[in-house]
């Protein structure tokens, strides 16, 4: 049995094939262009294999309520060519195998729960902090969804008193993503995020906002673990700053698990999403 | 069969007995004093009946993880005499019947789901806005809990640009409860909330903060319905202001159900919690 997985991102599509032991035996990365050319490359990759399942984890927002008209579609994304594109439908037309469909961050949360930093837990929240900010949630072993999937990158937050940056979110300006996604670092300092020294004061702001969002998640759903991934988290010093700010801001209002175990970095760096899509595909086999 | 229910609040304990049709046949209200005298009055009330079950819905924070040491306890409340008090244990010692145990707001969410404004839905979020702010969550027909129950009154929020009130939360100052619970109205205006005219500008602030919190809940868990209760919601004009501010602030980032159906007032005014406790008690009968 071979399982296929696609992590469809706004920048690149990652395609992978895993064997029965969930060892990835082939992997490809395709720059995200127009839908037809991107999918042509996706098909060239998977046509080489006889798949038993295919899990698709997509950038969002996406339609995720089975039985509704927009199920399987990418919805109102800034990427115009992908707006209202039936991605799952295209995949299902090409490959007559059981499929799974969720957001990239939900798949990452699932991958981390089954094979990564939350292995053995029954629930976890995964947050990626990179060019954008997004989160996924697994509760009692299942990907959580209400009338739509979580959009936890767009919570509003309390301002840091030393911050007057207007924020970069095209919808909300100074929501979490607008204040703390990767581009905010360069916008505030004129220096690219990866070149900023560890002791630059902007990291305090960054940790303040990330910690505050984690407090909101904790007060709402109290997940067993919070897992942080994405390019910004490659800053080794940042995790500790986030844990400290979390403690200061929460003021011990709820008793959390020890923070060193509660707020952790991804266990499958850069691969949480693709592993999640492979796993979800497999589980779609009845 | 007679079912008992207790809504244990910081101001008063409401006790009720319902018959098999969930008609309340007796109800009592006891001012919350020291634990022993309060419970003595609770016992005097229930000793008159032969109960089949007893559901207890308490002010929090409470210990809710079965099997842990503090299960059934009221935890670090500002009400010193009730700190670390084993309320469920006391009830179970007095009455040898199946019991249920949750927060007052979780019980209210459950009551609204089964008999109130969310009847027929599979999930709802209940928020009370009164002296304090608290919320409960029912997902797929079950009261939601992570490592602890939700504490959604303490989310941090973005400031309204015309608001310089420092906030009244003893833990976080200007969190949601600190900025928008009932006492903030008088603190900002010098006028008691119930005496403020409908066109007073403070209601815009109030609606702004409540709507913003509802956006955070929506982006996190996207419940089928959000139900608002509590003394502040007795202001008839407020619901519409909240719905308007919700739309303006969310900027159509997610497609919600129509707001007139999505954000609604309680269907069991002042009784959501007691009905929830009666229902949960009944369901504890195996």
């Amino acid at each position: 049995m071979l399982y296929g997985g696609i992590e469809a991102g706004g920048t690149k599509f990652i395609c992978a094939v895993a064997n029965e032991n969930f060892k990835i035996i082939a992997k490809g990365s395709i720059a995200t262009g127009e839908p037809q050319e991107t999918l042509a490359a996706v098909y060239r990759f998977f046509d080489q294999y006889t798949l038993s399942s295919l899990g698709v984890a997509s950038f969002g927002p996406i339609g995720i309520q089975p039985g509704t008209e927009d199920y399987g579609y990418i919805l109102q994304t800034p990427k115009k060519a992908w707006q209202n594109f039936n991605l799952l439908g295209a995949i299902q037309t090409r490959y007559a195998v059981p499929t799974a469909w969720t957001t990239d961050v939900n798949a990452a949360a699932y991958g981390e729960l089954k094979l990564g930093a939350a292995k053995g837990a029954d629930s976890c929240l995964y947050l990626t902090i990179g060019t954008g900010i997004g989160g996924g949630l697994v509760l009692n072993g299942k990907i959580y969804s209400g009338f739509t999937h979580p959009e936890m990158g767009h919570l509003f937050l309390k301002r840091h008193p030393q911050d007057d940056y207007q924020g970069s979110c095209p919808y909300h300006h100074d929501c979490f993503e607008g204040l703390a996604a990767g581009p905010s670092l360069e916008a505030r300092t004129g220096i690219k995020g990866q070149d900023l020294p560890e002791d630059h004061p902007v990291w305090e702001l960054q940790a303040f906002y990330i910690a505050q969002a984690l407090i909101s998640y904790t007060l709402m759903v109290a997940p067993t673990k919070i897992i942080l991934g994405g390019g910004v988290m490659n800053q080794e010093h940042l995790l500790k700053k986030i844990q400290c700010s979390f403690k200061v801001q929460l003021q011990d209002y709820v008793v959390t698990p020890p923070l060193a175990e509660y707020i952790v970095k991804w266990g499958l760096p850069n691969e949480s999403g693709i592993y999640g899509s492979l796993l979800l595909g497999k589980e779609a086999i009845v």
Side-chain angles (χ1 to χ4, degrees), chain A:
Chain A
M1 299 266 261
L2 294 178
Y3 310 115
I6 303 174
E7 188 183 2
T11 311
K12 63 187 179 208
F13 274 48
I14 296 169
C15 302
V17 175
N19 66 17
E20 291 205 18
N21 303 319
F22 273 97
K23 190 172 151 54
I24 292 179
I25 57 159
K27 198 170 171 185
S29 177
I30 295 156
T32 307
E34 302 286 293
Q36 296 313 331
E37 54 166 338
T38 309
L39 283 176
V42 168
Y43 299 156
R44 276 195 298 277
F45 177 85
F46 284 115
D47 283 355
Q48 307 169 74
Y49 306 94
T50 304
L51 299 177
S52 296
S53 64
L54 195 38
V56 187
S58 177
F59 66 102
I62 64 173
I64 45 131
Q65 290 280 28
T68 57
E69 273 183 21
D70 62 11
Y71 180 74
Y73 283 65
I74 295 175
L75 305 176
Q76 71 273 43
T77 166
K79 299 195 155 279
K80 291 266 186 281
W82 291 89
Q83 268 182 16
N84 300 311
F85 182 79
N86 184 358
L87 177 56
L88 179 63
I91 298 291
Q92 286 176 330
T93 301
R94 182 78 178 192
Y95 302 104
V97 296
T99 51
W101 171 248
T102 193
T103 63
D104 46 4
V105 279
N106 274 339
Y110 199 74
E112 289 290 335
L113 188 89
K114 293 291 178 181
L115 299 171
K119 205 168 161 176
D122 64 343
S123 86
C124 75
L125 187 151
Y126 170 84
L127 189 75
T128 179
I129 307 154
T131 313
I133 296 180
L137 190 55
V138 184
L139 298 179
N140 299 319
K142 286 191 180 158
I143 287 177
Y144 175 74
S145 173
F147 69 75
T148 186
H149 53 78
E151 281 288 352
M152 48 184 101
H154 292 267
L155 263 63
F156 291 104
L157 300 178
K158 173 180 167 173
R159 279 263 171 188
H160 189 286
Q162 268 122 60
D163 186 27
D164 58 3
Y165 174 53
Q166 66 183 23
S168 65
C169 173
Y171 293 91
H172 313 116
H173 304 292
D174 57 353
C175 66
F176 180 27
E177 177 170 295
L179 288 172
S184 72
L185 293 165
E186 187 173 351
R188 283 201 184 87
T189 63
I191 305 168
K192 277 187 198 304
Q194 60 265 40
D195 299 330
L196 281 162
E198 202 173 301
D199 60 354
H200 194 291
V202 78
W203 293 118
E204 288 302 320
L205 295 184
Q206 181 85 3
F208 174 85
Y209 290 124
I210 297 171
Q212 202 188 119
L214 303 190
I215 288 174
S216 290
Y217 307 154
T218 300
L219 296 175
M220 280 300 296
V221 294
T224 307
K225 249 182 212 298
I226 295 177
I227 297 164
L228 303 177
V232 171
M233 289 310 298
N234 288 333
Q235 299 283 335
E236 285 304 323
H237 58 93
L238 189 55
L239 180 66
K240 189 128 261 177
K241 290 192 173 83
I242 292 166
Q243 290 164 339
C244 288
S245 183
F246 183 97
K247 190 172 165 54
V248 169
Q249 293 187 76
L250 183 58
Q251 287 288 311
D252 294 324
Y253 184 70
V254 294
V255 180
T256 64
L259 293 189
E261 294 163 28
Y262 182 52
I263 302 172
V264 299
K265 284 171 74 165
W266 47 8
L268 305 167
N270 301 310
E271 296 194 309
S272 324
I274 193 68
Y275 272 110
S277 69
L278 289 163
L279 286 161
L280 290 164
K282 181 190 174 187
E283 287 168 23
I285 302 173
V286 186

